[in-house]
Amino acid sequence: MPLRSGVQCPKCWSLERQRLLALAIQRGDIEIAGRAIIHFAGELSVTRLIQAKLPARYQVSEYEGDHGDLRLDIENIDLPDNSVDLVIANHVLEHIDDRKALAEVYRILRPDGDLVCMFPIVEGWTETYENPAITDPIGRDLHFGQFDHVRYYGSDVRDRIRGAGFKLREITAGPHDVLRHRLSRGEKIFIGRE
């Protein structure tokens, strides 16, 4: 893979995907104010922005590590049904059993709740590439782009999200935003509405 410049911001240390998420929040494409939010693997570069938008409750869940408020397993979320307004899972689903996670997120969301997610995707592939026989870090890096990924999504990811019950919309930054904010061309935010 060729090296790319401008991936990490020298001021806030954000990556392209975090800047796209921040841009969508700043523009009001993702509703924050007054909502109960769970942010899986929460990125510090967007945490302050989310808190400034005055959610009713904002909690970061870290499955590993110690900087979260909660330690939830996204495949088996220890929260009641219909208890959260917004779940953010930015570059999480490619690491886990996404079908279990999507069903669990759907279960805990209130009516009109949203799932905001991003992940590596190759739009030219009609099918998601998975191979459960590849378990070693070197193999996963070679096949899925990172040592702890278990898949590379194809365009059928939309069917996976809808299959969990979500209505789907997408946000893609245009050329001006890509250049101004140093975003990855074509990267999308997927928003599943309960």
Side-chain angles (χ1 to χ4, degrees):
M1 176 180 281
L3 292 175
R4 298 181 347 258
S5 65
V7 171
Q8 191 170 49
C9 174
K11 290 183 180 178
C12 69
W13 305 104
S14 67
L15 301 174
E16 296 154 312
R17 64 186 183 236
Q18 295 152 356
R19 292 192 295 275
L20 179 56
L21 180 60
L23 184 62
I25 291 169
Q26 289 171 331
R27 290 187 172 164
D29 294 325
I30 300 169
E31 185 182 343
I32 300 293
R35 299 181 95 188
I37 302 170
I38 301 290
H39 190 167
F40 284 92
E43 303 96 338
L44 296 175
S45 60
V46 292
T47 295
R48 286 185 289 276
L49 173 63
I50 293 170
Q51 290 169 332
K53 296 288 184 181
L54 303 176
R57 184 179 74 240
Y58 175 68
Q59 296 174 294
V60 172
S61 175
E62 285 295 331
Y63 191 66
E64 297 175 347
D66 59 359
H67 82 273
D69 306 301
L70 303 168
R71 188 176 300 264
L72 298 172
D73 177 354
I74 195 169
E75 295 176 15
N76 186 20
I77 304 172
D78 188 21
L79 292 174
D81 296 359
N82 305 311
S83 59
V84 178
D85 298 304
L86 175 63
V87 170
I88 302 170
N90 195 4
H91 283 255
V92 171
L93 296 177
E94 67 273 16
H95 295 267
I96 58 170
D97 184 329
D98 59 342
R99 287 184 168 92
K100 284 183 182 177
L102 289 167
E104 277 294 281
V105 169
Y106 189 84
R107 179 187 65 78
I108 68 165
L109 283 174
R110 293 181 178 132
D112 294 327
D114 293 313
L115 163 65
V116 172
C117 57
M118 298 170 68
F119 34 75
I121 182 171
V122 180
E123 288 285 0
W125 293 354
T126 56
E127 293 183 15
T128 294
Y129 173 52
E130 299 176 283
N131 185 340
I134 301 169
T135 58
D136 66 286
I138 294 171
R140 284 184 173 175
D141 188 47
L142 178 66
H143 286 263
F144 310 123
Q146 192 168 303
F147 75 95
D148 57 350
H149 288 185
V150 297
R151 73 186 55 82
Y152 234 123
Y153 285 104
S155 61
D156 65 331
V157 69
R158 293 162 179 87
D159 296 330
R160 287 180 184 229
I161 296 170
R162 288 186 191 110
F166 292 101
K167 298 176 190 104
L168 189 62
R169 71 181 171 100
E170 301 173 24
I171 299 170
T172 308
H176 176 74
D177 290 325
V178 165
L179 294 173
R180 182 167 188 220
H181 301 288
R182 302 294 295 252
L183 303 174
S184 180
R185 288 167 178 84
E187 187 160 28
K188 296 180 177 296
I189 299 174
F190 292 86
I191 301 178
R193 170 66 52 107
E194 194 277 333

